[in-house]
Amino acid sequence: MSHLQEHVRTIRIQLQDANEALSLFGPQDSFLRMIQDQTPAKIISRGGEVAISGSVDELEVLSHLFRVLLTLVRRGIQLTARDIVYAERLAREGLADELLELYDEQIGITYKGKPIRVKTLGQRHYMSAIQKSDIVFGIGPAGTGKTFLAVVLAVTALKSNQVKRIVLTRPAVEAGESLGFLPGDLQEKVDPYLRPLYDSLYTMLGVEQVNKLMERGSIEVAPLAYMRGRTLEDSFVILDEAQNTTNEQMKMFLTRLGFGSKMVVTGDVTQVDLPRGKKSGLKEAEQILKPVDDIQFVYLTQADVVRHNLVQKVIDAYAEADE
């Protein structure tokens, strides 16, 4: 027993007051439990301190994690469960300090006044690529914030008069249903699959403001076919779900770029809904445009999908079952 004892050490972290403890441990200590679930070390909170007992390696990770989380709390940042999950993951890679910089940068503000910040290092790289380059491809799985972050930057550019309008578009390929069979006029037919684009706009501007800007022509949400034959100047243009474009459509879209404009193309190469035998314009563009200097390809990964712990476990379980 005695030699086991030697390897267990204890460190203590002092907290300033009950409010600080509440922000750090989460509602009903839920954050504390999330951290405890990921470590063999023992974490005990008593009064104004946290005592952590465990191996030297675990203590290093956890002290780093708590130090960063406390710094964020002391800066007045309200932590969420996803912040805790991501911070814990980064602390295991020795990168938790990077979070301090992430939370420094506010990239936009919702119409309800909530600050929007990038949540992961991959997202931060994506944002800076969009700020620097006129054509950026954001490629990665659902839930990485590809489209939403592009919309945030588009709205910011519109508000600060860097562009005169925002154009959001998607190819009209829906899994398993042809638009011909949907009831209603074109506007109604189009809306269901353009819905996610509207939702991002509503978060940023509110419904009334979006409708006003659409009437004025400052915001346009349309199927990709509507882009043919136009040149888009002074515009922030986002092509979403680009894995469902054909090669011709992709080329048609990219050659719409006018002066004073930016284009962001987002997609997930693993979710192609095109008819069999049709090649994805997004996959082709990756190969054809790689040598072009001023076009940036940013790859977001599962590491940028910060999900509820349980969702991650469900995904992992299915992945194991598939193998």
Side-chain angles (χ1 to χ4, degrees):
M1 189 73 195
S2 62
H3 87 197
L4 277 180
Q5 252 12 115
E6 283 164 30
H7 297 295
V8 176
R9 299 227 165 81
T10 300
I11 54 165
R12 296 175 194 283
I13 296 164
Q14 299 301 319
L15 304 179
Q16 287 168 359
D17 53 36
N19 282 341
E20 197 163 272
L22 184 64
S23 304
L24 184 63
F25 301 154
Q28 279 105 41
D29 287 352
S30 55
F31 298 167
L32 203 55
R33 279 200 304 280
M34 286 164 79
I35 297 169
Q36 180 65 81
D37 282 349
Q38 301 298 318
T39 178
K42 285 273 169 285
I43 306 171
I44 295 165
S45 67
R46 272 210 198 90
E49 70 170 23
V50 185
I52 309 171
S53 307
S55 69
V56 175
D57 291 349
E58 270 310 291
L59 289 189
E60 198 174 319
V61 169
L62 292 172
S63 65
H64 189 188
L65 173 62
F66 276 105
R67 194 176 69 244
V68 167
L69 293 176
L70 253 183
T71 306
L72 293 174
V73 165
R74 285 172 184 167
R75 283 190 195 168
I77 285 165
Q78 281 193 313
L79 297 174
T80 63
R82 66 169 288 153
D83 296 328
I84 303 295
V85 173
Y86 192 60
E88 197 272 337
R89 202 186 292 163
L90 286 185
R92 299 225 165 264
E93 296 168 33
L95 295 172
D97 285 328
E98 301 257 355
L99 275 181
L100 301 177
E101 279 176 45
L102 275 191
Y103 288 97
D104 268 351
E105 302 159 34
Q106 186 174 311
I107 56 163
I109 197 153
T110 69
Y111 85 105
K112 290 184 172 165
K114 279 186 71 171
I116 299 170
R117 298 184 172 92
V118 288
K119 298 278 173 47
T120 70
L121 304 180
Q123 288 182 350
R124 191 225 246 135
H125 173 50
Y126 175 53
M127 298 304 281
S128 66
I130 295 173
Q131 283 155 347
K132 288 186 195 118
S133 301
D134 287 345
I135 297 183
V136 173
F137 285 79
I139 298 174
T144 46
K146 305 181 294 291
T147 308
F148 179 65
L149 293 172
V151 170
V152 172
L153 286 186
V155 168
T156 309
L158 185 68
K159 281 182 174 173
S160 60
N161 294 320
Q162 289 167 298
V163 297
K164 294 203 172 69
R165 59 198 184 127
I166 297 174
V167 180
L168 304 181
T169 182
R170 279 180 148 187
V173 180
E174 267 306 86
E177 59 194 55
S178 124
L179 277 179
F181 292 109
L182 294 172
D185 65 6
L186 184 74
Q187 187 59 30
E188 285 167 9
K189 281 182 183 177
V190 161
D191 278 353
Y193 80 89
L194 292 172
R195 185 91 256 165
L197 296 174
Y198 282 107
D199 289 341
S200 302
L201 286 171
Y202 293 155
T203 302
M204 290 302 295
L205 294 164
V207 177
E208 270 175 55
Q209 184 71 359
V210 169
N211 292 341
K212 218 180 278 175
L213 289 166
M214 287 183 82
E215 277 163 32
R216 223 183 282 162
S218 302
I219 293 181
E220 180 183 350
V221 183
L224 183 57
Y226 282 43
M227 300 299 131
R228 206 170 287 285
R230 302 166 60 185
T231 298
L232 301 164
E233 305 218 323
D234 299 316
S235 305
F236 197 120
V237 193
I238 300 170
L239 169 58
D240 192 34
E241 298 289 339
Q243 72 275 9
N244 292 329
T245 57
T246 61
N247 202 29
E248 300 75 35
Q249 284 175 322
M250 179 63 84
K251 183 183 170 191
M252 178 275 288
F253 174 77
L254 293 171
T255 51
R256 302 306 93 203
L257 182 71
F259 290 102
S261 290
K262 265 189 192 298
M263 286 185 159
V264 180
V265 177
T266 69
D268 175 359
V269 282
T270 64
Q271 298 280 336
V272 178
D273 295 323
L274 288 168
R276 271 180 195 283
K278 274 271 187 210
K279 277 192 159 166
S280 164
L282 181 58
K283 288 182 181 172
E284 303 263 295
E286 274 186 278
Q287 284 148 2
I288 296 167
L289 299 173
K290 266 284 155 63
V292 180
D293 281 347
D294 301 330
I295 295 179
Q296 286 212 55
F297 285 83
V298 177
Y299 295 92
L300 294 156
T301 66
Q302 284 299 341
D304 299 294
V305 185
V306 182
R307 295 189 176 98
H308 191 295
N309 275 358
L310 205 49
V311 174
Q312 203 52 60
K313 285 177 185 166
V314 169
I315 289 168
D316 294 343
Y318 271 99
E320 268 175 48
D322 285 344
E323 283 160 29

Short mmCIF file of all heavy atoms in Angstrom, two decimals, residues 114-165:
data_model
loop_
_atom_site.label_atom_id
_atom_site.label_comp_id
_atom_site.label_asym_id
_atom_site.label_seq_id
_atom_site.Cartn_x
_atom_site.Cartn_y
_atom_site.Cartn_z
N LYS A 114 -25.69 39.40 -27.48
CA LYS A 114 -24.73 38.40 -26.96
C LYS A 114 -23.48 38.38 -27.82
O LYS A 114 -23.56 38.34 -29.04
CB LYS A 114 -25.36 37.00 -26.97
CG LYS A 114 -26.27 36.73 -25.79
CD LYS A 114 -26.76 35.29 -25.77
CE LYS A 114 -25.63 34.32 -25.41
NZ LYS A 114 -26.15 32.95 -25.19
N PRO A 115 -22.30 38.43 -27.18
CA PRO A 115 -21.07 38.38 -27.96
C PRO A 115 -20.90 37.01 -28.61
O PRO A 115 -21.26 35.99 -28.03
CB PRO A 115 -19.97 38.63 -26.93
CG PRO A 115 -20.57 38.31 -25.62
CD PRO A 115 -22.04 38.52 -25.73
N ILE A 116 -20.35 36.99 -29.83
CA ILE A 116 -20.06 35.73 -30.51
C ILE A 116 -18.55 35.59 -30.57
O ILE A 116 -17.86 36.49 -31.02
CB ILE A 116 -20.65 35.72 -31.93
CG1 ILE A 116 -22.17 35.86 -31.86
CG2 ILE A 116 -20.28 34.42 -32.66
CD1 ILE A 116 -22.80 36.09 -33.20
N ARG A 117 -18.08 34.44 -30.09
CA ARG A 117 -16.64 34.18 -30.14
C ARG A 117 -16.43 32.85 -30.85
O ARG A 117 -17.31 32.01 -30.85
CB ARG A 117 -16.08 34.05 -28.72
CG ARG A 117 -16.23 35.30 -27.88
CD ARG A 117 -15.56 35.11 -26.52
NE ARG A 117 -15.55 36.37 -25.79
CZ ARG A 117 -16.51 36.73 -24.94
NH1 ARG A 117 -17.55 35.94 -24.74
NH2 ARG A 117 -16.44 37.89 -24.31
N VAL A 118 -15.25 32.68 -31.43
CA VAL A 118 -14.95 31.35 -31.99
C VAL A 118 -14.77 30.41 -30.81
O VAL A 118 -14.33 30.81 -29.74
CB VAL A 118 -13.70 31.36 -32.89
CG1 VAL A 118 -13.99 32.07 -34.18
CG2 VAL A 118 -12.51 31.97 -32.20
N LYS A 119 -15.13 29.14 -31.02
CA LYS A 119 -15.13 28.18 -29.92
C LYS A 119 -13.93 27.24 -29.97
O LYS A 119 -13.66 26.55 -29.00
CB LYS A 119 -16.42 27.35 -29.98
CG LYS A 119 -17.71 28.17 -29.82
CD LYS A 119 -17.96 28.42 -28.35
CE LYS A 119 -19.11 29.35 -28.05
NZ LYS A 119 -20.34 29.13 -28.73
N THR A 120 -13.27 27.14 -31.11
CA THR A 120 -12.16 26.18 -31.23
C THR A 120 -11.01 26.81 -32.03
O THR A 120 -11.20 27.81 -32.72
CB THR A 120 -12.60 24.89 -31.97
OG1 THR A 120 -12.82 25.20 -33.35
CG2 THR A 120 -13.87 24.28 -31.39
N LEU A 121 -9.86 26.19 -31.92
CA LEU A 121 -8.68 26.70 -32.63
C LEU A 121 -8.89 26.59 -34.15
O LEU A 121 -8.49 27.47 -34.91
CB LEU A 121 -7.43 25.92 -32.22
CG LEU A 121 -7.13 25.92 -30.71
CD1 LEU A 121 -5.86 25.13 -30.42
CD2 LEU A 121 -7.01 27.33 -30.16
N GLY A 122 -9.57 25.51 -34.59
CA GLY A 122 -9.85 25.34 -36.01
C GLY A 122 -10.75 26.46 -36.53
O GLY A 122 -10.52 27.01 -37.62
N GLN A 123 -11.74 26.82 -35.74
CA GLN A 123 -12.64 27.92 -36.13
C GLN A 123 -11.88 29.23 -36.22
O GLN A 123 -12.14 30.05 -37.11
CB GLN A 123 -13.79 28.05 -35.13
CG GLN A 123 -14.80 26.93 -35.21
CD GLN A 123 -15.95 27.11 -34.23
OE1 GLN A 123 -15.91 27.98 -33.35
NE2 GLN A 123 -16.97 26.29 -34.37
N ARG A 124 -10.94 29.42 -35.32
CA ARG A 124 -10.18 30.67 -35.35
C ARG A 124 -9.36 30.77 -36.64
O ARG A 124 -9.28 31.83 -37.27
CB ARG A 124 -9.25 30.74 -34.13
CG ARG A 124 -8.65 32.13 -33.98
CD ARG A 124 -7.20 32.05 -33.70
NE ARG A 124 -6.87 32.53 -32.40
CZ ARG A 124 -6.04 31.90 -31.56
NH1 ARG A 124 -5.55 30.77 -31.80
NH2 ARG A 124 -5.68 32.41 -30.45
N HIS A 125 -8.78 29.65 -37.06
CA HIS A 125 -7.99 29.62 -38.29
C HIS A 125 -8.89 29.92 -39.49
O HIS A 125 -8.52 30.68 -40.40
CB HIS A 125 -7.33 28.23 -38.41
CG HIS A 125 -6.63 28.01 -39.71
ND1 HIS A 125 -5.71 28.91 -40.23
CD2 HIS A 125 -6.71 27.01 -40.62
CE1 HIS A 125 -5.27 28.46 -41.39
NE2 HIS A 125 -5.87 27.32 -41.66
N TYR A 126 -10.09 29.37 -39.47
CA TYR A 126 -11.08 29.57 -40.53
C TYR A 126 -11.46 31.06 -40.64
O TYR A 126 -11.47 31.65 -41.72
CB TYR A 126 -12.30 28.70 -40.21
CG TYR A 126 -13.51 28.82 -41.10
CD1 TYR A 126 -13.42 28.69 -42.49
CD2 TYR A 126 -14.77 28.99 -40.54
CE1 TYR A 126 -14.55 28.75 -43.29
CE2 TYR A 126 -15.90 29.05 -41.33
CZ TYR A 126 -15.80 28.93 -42.70
OH TYR A 126 -16.92 28.98 -43.49
N MET A 127 -11.72 31.67 -39.49
CA MET A 127 -12.10 33.09 -39.48
C MET A 127 -11.00 33.96 -40.05
O MET A 127 -11.24 34.86 -40.84
CB MET A 127 -12.38 33.57 -38.04
CG MET A 127 -13.49 32.88 -37.35
SD MET A 127 -15.02 32.99 -38.24
CE MET A 127 -15.52 34.60 -37.82
N SER A 128 -9.75 33.69 -39.64
CA SER A 128 -8.68 34.58 -40.12
C SER A 128 -8.44 34.36 -41.61
O SER A 128 -8.10 35.31 -42.32
CB SER A 128 -7.41 34.44 -39.28
OG SER A 128 -6.87 33.18 -39.46
N ALA A 129 -8.67 33.13 -42.10
CA ALA A 129 -8.55 32.89 -43.54
C ALA A 129 -9.57 33.74 -44.30
O ALA A 129 -9.25 34.35 -45.32
CB ALA A 129 -8.77 31.41 -43.84
N ILE A 130 -10.81 33.79 -43.80
CA ILE A 130 -11.86 34.57 -44.48
C ILE A 130 -11.50 36.06 -44.47
O ILE A 130 -11.71 36.77 -45.45
CB ILE A 130 -13.25 34.33 -43.82
CG1 ILE A 130 -13.68 32.87 -43.99
CG2 ILE A 130 -14.30 35.27 -44.42
CD1 ILE A 130 -14.94 32.50 -43.23
N GLN A 131 -10.94 36.51 -43.35
CA GLN A 131 -10.58 37.92 -43.28
C GLN A 131 -9.47 38.27 -44.27
O GLN A 131 -9.44 39.35 -44.83
CB GLN A 131 -10.21 38.31 -41.84
CG GLN A 131 -11.46 38.48 -40.98
CD GLN A 131 -11.23 38.25 -39.49
OE1 GLN A 131 -10.19 37.74 -39.07
NE2 GLN A 131 -12.20 38.64 -38.67
N LYS A 132 -8.57 37.31 -44.52
CA LYS A 132 -7.41 37.59 -45.39
C LYS A 132 -7.66 37.34 -46.87
O LYS A 132 -7.07 38.02 -47.70
CB LYS A 132 -6.22 36.73 -44.94
CG LYS A 132 -5.59 37.17 -43.63
CD LYS A 132 -4.32 36.37 -43.35
CE LYS A 132 -3.91 36.53 -41.90
NZ LYS A 132 -3.93 35.25 -41.15
N SER A 133 -8.46 36.32 -47.21
CA SER A 133 -8.56 35.91 -48.62
C SER A 133 -9.94 36.17 -49.20
O SER A 133 -10.93 36.16 -48.49
CB SER A 133 -8.26 34.41 -48.74
OG SER A 133 -6.97 34.15 -48.25
N ASP A 134 -9.97 36.37 -50.53
CA ASP A 134 -11.26 36.64 -51.18
C ASP A 134 -12.06 35.38 -51.47
O ASP A 134 -13.27 35.44 -51.60
CB ASP A 134 -11.03 37.43 -52.48
CG ASP A 134 -10.65 38.88 -52.18
OD1 ASP A 134 -10.83 39.31 -51.03
OD2 ASP A 134 -10.16 39.57 -53.10
N ILE A 135 -11.36 34.24 -51.63
CA ILE A 135 -12.10 32.98 -51.78
C ILE A 135 -11.56 31.98 -50.76
O ILE A 135 -10.37 31.69 -50.72
CB ILE A 135 -11.94 32.39 -53.21
CG1 ILE A 135 -12.55 33.32 -54.26
CG2 ILE A 135 -12.63 31.02 -53.29
CD1 ILE A 135 -12.51 32.78 -55.70
N VAL A 136 -12.46 31.48 -49.92
CA VAL A 136 -12.08 30.51 -48.89
C VAL A 136 -13.04 29.33 -48.95
O VAL A 136 -14.25 29.51 -49.05
CB VAL A 136 -12.13 31.15 -47.48
CG1 VAL A 136 -11.90 30.09 -46.40
CG2 VAL A 136 -11.10 32.26 -47.35
N PHE A 137 -12.47 28.13 -48.89
CA PHE A 137 -13.27 26.92 -48.78
C PHE A 137 -13.21 26.44 -47.33
O PHE A 137 -12.11 26.23 -46.81
CB PHE A 137 -12.72 25.82 -49.69
CG PHE A 137 -13.03 26.03 -51.15
CD1 PHE A 137 -12.28 26.93 -51.91
CD2 PHE A 137 -14.06 25.33 -51.76
CE1 PHE A 137 -12.56 27.13 -53.26
CE2 PHE A 137 -14.34 25.54 -53.11
CZ PHE A 137 -13.59 26.43 -53.86
N GLY A 138 -14.35 26.28 -46.71
CA GLY A 138 -14.41 25.72 -45.35
C GLY A 138 -14.98 24.33 -45.44
O GLY A 138 -16.17 24.16 -45.74
N ILE A 139 -14.15 23.32 -45.21
CA ILE A 139 -14.58 21.93 -45.43
C ILE A 139 -14.54 21.17 -44.11
O ILE A 139 -13.54 21.22 -43.38
CB ILE A 139 -13.66 21.26 -46.47
CG1 ILE A 139 -13.79 22.01 -47.81
CG2 ILE A 139 -14.02 19.78 -46.64
CD1 ILE A 139 -12.84 21.54 -48.89
N GLY A 140 -15.62 20.47 -43.79
CA GLY A 140 -15.63 19.71 -42.55
C GLY A 140 -17.02 19.23 -42.21
O GLY A 140 -18.00 19.61 -42.86
N PRO A 141 -17.13 18.40 -41.17
CA PRO A 141 -18.42 17.80 -40.82
C PRO A 141 -19.43 18.81 -40.29
O PRO A 141 -19.07 19.94 -39.96
CB PRO A 141 -18.05 16.79 -39.73
CG PRO A 141 -16.75 17.25 -39.18
CD PRO A 141 -16.04 17.97 -40.28
N ALA A 142 -20.69 18.37 -40.22
CA ALA A 142 -21.75 19.22 -39.66
C ALA A 142 -21.39 19.57 -38.22
O ALA A 142 -20.74 18.79 -37.52
CB ALA A 142 -23.07 18.46 -39.70
N GLY A 143 -21.83 20.74 -37.78
CA GLY A 143 -21.61 21.10 -36.39
C GLY A 143 -20.29 21.81 -36.12
O GLY A 143 -19.96 22.11 -34.98
N THR A 144 -19.52 22.10 -37.19
CA THR A 144 -18.25 22.78 -36.96
C THR A 144 -18.40 24.30 -37.08
O THR A 144 -17.44 25.03 -36.92
CB THR A 144 -17.17 22.32 -37.97
OG1 THR A 144 -17.75 22.31 -39.28
CG2 THR A 144 -16.68 20.92 -37.65
N GLY A 145 -19.62 24.78 -37.36
CA GLY A 145 -19.85 26.22 -37.42
C GLY A 145 -19.42 26.87 -38.73
O GLY A 145 -19.31 28.09 -38.82
N LYS A 146 -19.20 26.05 -39.76
CA LYS A 146 -18.70 26.59 -41.04
C LYS A 146 -19.59 27.70 -41.58
O LYS A 146 -19.13 28.77 -41.93
CB LYS A 146 -18.66 25.49 -42.12
CG LYS A 146 -17.89 24.25 -41.80
CD LYS A 146 -17.93 23.27 -42.96
CE LYS A 146 -19.30 22.68 -43.27
NZ LYS A 146 -19.83 21.77 -42.26
N THR A 147 -20.89 27.41 -41.67
CA THR A 147 -21.82 28.35 -42.29
C THR A 147 -22.12 29.51 -41.35
O THR A 147 -22.08 30.68 -41.74
CB THR A 147 -23.14 27.63 -42.65
OG1 THR A 147 -22.80 26.47 -43.41
CG2 THR A 147 -24.05 28.54 -43.46
N PHE A 148 -22.39 29.19 -40.10
CA PHE A 148 -22.76 30.23 -39.14
C PHE A 148 -21.66 31.29 -39.01
O PHE A 148 -21.92 32.48 -39.06
CB PHE A 148 -23.08 29.63 -37.77
CG PHE A 148 -23.44 30.67 -36.75
CD1 PHE A 148 -24.60 31.43 -36.90
CD2 PHE A 148 -22.63 30.92 -35.66
CE1 PHE A 148 -24.93 32.42 -35.98
CE2 PHE A 148 -22.95 31.90 -34.73
CZ PHE A 148 -24.11 32.66 -34.89
N LEU A 149 -20.41 30.84 -38.89
CA LEU A 149 -19.32 31.80 -38.73
C LEU A 149 -19.15 32.67 -39.97
O LEU A 149 -18.86 33.87 -39.87
CB LEU A 149 -18.00 31.07 -38.42
CG LEU A 149 -17.96 30.36 -37.05
CD1 LEU A 149 -16.71 29.52 -36.92
CD2 LEU A 149 -18.04 31.37 -35.91
N ALA A 150 -19.37 32.07 -41.15
CA ALA A 150 -19.29 32.86 -42.39
C ALA A 150 -20.39 33.92 -42.40
O ALA A 150 -20.16 35.07 -42.78
CB ALA A 150 -19.41 31.94 -43.60
N VAL A 151 -21.59 33.54 -41.94
CA VAL A 151 -22.70 34.51 -41.88
C VAL A 151 -22.38 35.63 -40.87
O VAL A 151 -22.65 36.80 -41.13
CB VAL A 151 -24.04 33.81 -41.53
CG1 VAL A 151 -25.13 34.83 -41.23
CG2 VAL A 151 -24.48 32.89 -42.66
N VAL A 152 -21.77 35.27 -39.74
CA VAL A 152 -21.39 36.29 -38.75
C VAL A 152 -20.47 37.33 -39.39
O VAL A 152 -20.68 38.54 -39.25
CB VAL A 152 -20.67 35.65 -37.53
CG1 VAL A 152 -20.11 36.72 -36.60
CG2 VAL A 152 -21.63 34.75 -36.76
N LEU A 153 -19.46 36.85 -40.13
CA LEU A 153 -18.53 37.78 -40.77
C LEU A 153 -19.21 38.58 -41.88
O LEU A 153 -18.91 39.76 -42.09
CB LEU A 153 -17.32 37.03 -41.33
CG LEU A 153 -16.30 36.54 -40.29
CD1 LEU A 153 -15.09 35.96 -40.98
CD2 LEU A 153 -15.87 37.65 -39.35
N ALA A 154 -20.15 37.94 -42.59
CA ALA A 154 -20.87 38.63 -43.66
C ALA A 154 -21.69 39.79 -43.07
O ALA A 154 -21.66 40.91 -43.59
CB ALA A 154 -21.78 37.65 -44.40
N VAL A 155 -22.40 39.51 -41.99
CA VAL A 155 -23.24 40.54 -41.36
C VAL A 155 -22.36 41.68 -40.83
O VAL A 155 -22.68 42.86 -40.98
CB VAL A 155 -24.11 39.94 -40.23
CG1 VAL A 155 -24.77 41.02 -39.39
CG2 VAL A 155 -25.18 39.02 -40.83
N THR A 156 -21.23 41.32 -40.23
CA THR A 156 -20.30 42.33 -39.72
C THR A 156 -19.80 43.21 -40.86
O THR A 156 -19.72 44.44 -40.74
CB THR A 156 -19.11 41.64 -39.01
OG1 THR A 156 -19.64 40.71 -38.06
CG2 THR A 156 -18.24 42.65 -38.27
N ALA A 157 -19.49 42.59 -42.00
CA ALA A 157 -19.00 43.34 -43.17
C ALA A 157 -20.09 44.27 -43.72
O ALA A 157 -19.83 45.40 -44.13
CB ALA A 157 -18.52 42.38 -44.25
N LEU A 158 -21.33 43.78 -43.71
CA LEU A 158 -22.45 44.61 -44.20
C LEU A 158 -22.68 45.80 -43.28
O LEU A 158 -22.83 46.94 -43.74
CB LEU A 158 -23.73 43.75 -44.29
CG LEU A 158 -24.97 44.43 -44.89
CD1 LEU A 158 -24.76 44.71 -46.37
CD2 LEU A 158 -26.23 43.58 -44.69
N LYS A 159 -22.68 45.54 -41.97
CA LYS A 159 -22.92 46.61 -41.00
C LYS A 159 -21.84 47.69 -41.07
O LYS A 159 -22.11 48.86 -40.83
CB LYS A 159 -22.95 46.04 -39.57
CG LYS A 159 -24.26 45.37 -39.19
CD LYS A 159 -24.16 44.89 -37.76
CE LYS A 159 -25.47 44.33 -37.23
NZ LYS A 159 -25.26 43.72 -35.89
N SER A 160 -20.60 47.28 -41.35
CA SER A 160 -19.52 48.26 -41.37
C SER A 160 -19.25 48.79 -42.79
O SER A 160 -18.20 49.36 -43.05
CB SER A 160 -18.25 47.66 -40.78
OG SER A 160 -17.88 46.53 -41.54
N ASN A 161 -20.22 48.55 -43.68
CA ASN A 161 -20.14 49.05 -45.07
C ASN A 161 -18.93 48.56 -45.86
O ASN A 161 -18.52 49.21 -46.82
CB ASN A 161 -20.16 50.59 -45.09
CG ASN A 161 -21.49 51.12 -44.61
OD1 ASN A 161 -22.54 50.56 -44.93
ND2 ASN A 161 -21.45 52.17 -43.81
N GLN A 162 -18.36 47.43 -45.45
CA GLN A 162 -17.27 46.86 -46.26
C GLN A 162 -17.84 46.22 -47.52
O GLN A 162 -17.18 46.11 -48.54
CB GLN A 162 -16.50 45.81 -45.46
CG GLN A 162 -15.65 46.40 -44.35
CD GLN A 162 -15.19 45.31 -43.40
OE1 GLN A 162 -15.99 44.63 -42.77
NE2 GLN A 162 -13.88 45.13 -43.32
N VAL A 163 -19.10 45.75 -47.43
CA VAL A 163 -19.80 45.22 -48.61
C VAL A 163 -21.18 45.86 -48.66
O VAL A 163 -21.68 46.35 -47.65
CB VAL A 163 -19.94 43.67 -48.58
CG1 VAL A 163 -18.59 42.99 -48.62
CG2 VAL A 163 -20.75 43.21 -47.39
N LYS A 164 -21.77 45.84 -49.86
CA LYS A 164 -23.11 46.42 -50.01
C LYS A 164 -24.20 45.40 -49.81
O LYS A 164 -25.34 45.73 -49.53
CB LYS A 164 -23.24 47.08 -51.39
CG LYS A 164 -22.33 48.29 -51.57
CD LYS A 164 -22.84 49.22 -52.66
CE LYS A 164 -22.05 50.53 -52.71
NZ LYS A 164 -20.66 50.31 -53.20
N ARG A 165 -23.86 44.12 -50.02
CA ARG A 165 -24.88 43.11 -49.74
C ARG A 165 -24.32 41.74 -49.45
O ARG A 165 -23.15 41.44 -49.71
CB ARG A 165 -25.88 43.01 -50.88
CG ARG A 165 -25.26 42.67 -52.16
CD ARG A 165 -26.21 43.01 -53.27
NE ARG A 165 -25.60 42.58 -54.48
CZ ARG A 165 -26.19 41.80 -55.36
NH1 ARG A 165 -27.42 41.42 -55.17
NH2 ARG A 165 -25.55 41.44 -56.43
#
